[in-house]
Amino acid sequence: MIDVDIRAEGMQTLIRELRATESQAERALRSTMSKMAAWLRVRSVKGLSGHLKIQQKVLRRRLRTYRMQSSLGSAWRTGNMKVWYGLNPIPFADLHPKQTATGVRADGGREVKGAFIARVRGRPRVFKRTGTARLPLVEEKVPLYDPAIVYIEDVLIGTALFDAHFMTLFEHELTWRTSTRT
């Protein structure tokens, strides 16, 4: 979970200026959060692809749907929301591995010495022996969590661009809801 701090005073000011009801403000926030989730998904996949040296199509499959959560009543007071990213390790086999004389090499300059490619139920997998014996084997995976979290916290969330986009979307949603009087 990543904490996202939004300027609560900016939302409160907008709500007062537009004379929005609590129900209109809650619906505007809910809509804004779903649009911000889509915005974050696109930005994350593009940015992480370059940062981690992994193709976008591989990351898109691995990143799970974002859920921006907040108890709607407390969002105005605290300005804090939670963002969930599913950043499970990527199997080395998904990065187009090639067998070399010393091990296995894959996209992004990754190499595992002493590894080999084997087919398991028709799909290629990259394994490495843990000792000198034939078994046990360990499937090789590329960890995503630590480098991805550093990128997400430093470049995406909490930046001026994020805050500006959030406030623009929230203002648009709230204006629309107050003008139609739903």
Side-chain angles (χ1 to χ4, degrees):
M1 291 293 234
I2 299 172
D3 288 328
V4 180
D5 293 320
I6 303 295
R7 295 173 307 170
E9 63 276 355
M11 290 191 301
Q12 288 284 19
T13 305
L14 261 175
I15 292 167
R16 277 193 303 272
E17 284 176 3
L18 296 173
R19 296 184 199 134
T21 65
E22 188 173 333
S23 136
Q24 289 171 331
E26 286 179 5
R27 281 185 265 150
L29 181 61
R30 191 176 301 122
S31 178
T32 301
M33 287 193 306
S34 66
K35 288 179 181 181
M36 283 301 292
W39 182 81
L40 272 174
R41 182 175 178 86
V42 169
R43 296 283 171 141
S44 296
V45 169
K46 284 182 181 181
L48 285 172
S49 175
H51 183 71
L52 299 173
K53 296 183 176 76
I54 296 174
Q55 289 183 339
Q56 287 184 22
K57 67 180 183 179
V58 174
L59 284 176
R60 213 174 283 122
R61 273 195 324 250
R62 300 300 296 174
L63 288 176
R64 298 297 177 225
T65 303
Y66 303 107
R67 287 179 237 149
M68 295 186 80
Q69 299 175 359
S70 172
S71 56
L72 297 173
S74 68
W76 331 117
R77 288 181 225 107
T78 63
N80 192 335
M81 289 182 275
K82 301 278 185 191
V83 179
W84 181 83
Y85 283 82
L87 297 170
N88 297 330
I90 296 176
F92 209 78
D94 289 351
L95 303 177
H96 305 102
K98 305 278 188 265
Q99 187 73 51
T100 64
T102 59
V104 176
R105 184 176 300 158
D107 292 346
R110 291 174 176 81
E111 186 171 1
V112 179
K113 301 249 187 238
F116 59 94
I117 300 172
R119 290 201 167 273
V120 177
R121 296 188 181 124
R123 289 196 62 207
R125 295 284 186 205
V126 177
F127 293 102
K128 186 173 180 180
R129 289 185 170 83
T130 58
T132 56
R134 184 171 172 83
L135 294 174
L137 299 175
V138 174
E139 184 177 5
E140 290 297 314
K141 295 186 177 196
V142 178
L144 284 185
Y145 188 79
D146 291 336
I149 291 298
V150 168
Y151 178 82
I152 290 164
E153 288 178 344
D154 291 349
V155 177
L156 293 175
I157 295 176
T159 62
L161 179 64
F162 178 87
D163 292 341
H165 191 68
F166 180 88
M167 289 307 290
T168 302
L169 283 175
F170 183 69
E171 181 178 8
H172 173 76
E173 289 295 323
L174 198 57
T175 303
W176 179 77
R177 278 172 173 58
T178 55
S179 69
T180 57
R181 301 286 177 209
T182 57

